[in-house]
Amino acid sequence: MKKILGIYGAGGQGRETLELSKIINQRTGHWENTIFIVDNPTQKCVNGISVYAYDEMKQLFGEDYSAI
């Protein structure tokens, strides 16, 4: 089963990590979807990527995620 990649932080570093994860995923196809994880989300979407609080992400995706 493919997993979700959760990138902790949706700021500059998180967006840079997103770009790197896209390159990696093109080569490996490991992740089905990528999301941002933030402590107190005020937006549901950043740059077209869904944003979740950590607890919310765990409830939605169970153990089918990797976080960085």
Side-chain angles (χ1 to χ4, degrees), residues 12-41:
Q13 183 64 46
R15 291 191 299 267
E16 290 295 325
T17 303
L18 173 64
E19 294 306 314
L20 291 172
S21 73
K22 287 178 182 179
I23 293 168
I24 293 167
N25 206 39
Q26 284 177 339
R27 295 179 182 170
T28 66
H30 184 72
W31 301 294
E32 180 180 304
N33 195 9
T34 303
I35 63 169
F36 286 124
I37 305 165
V38 298
D39 291 330
N40 299 304

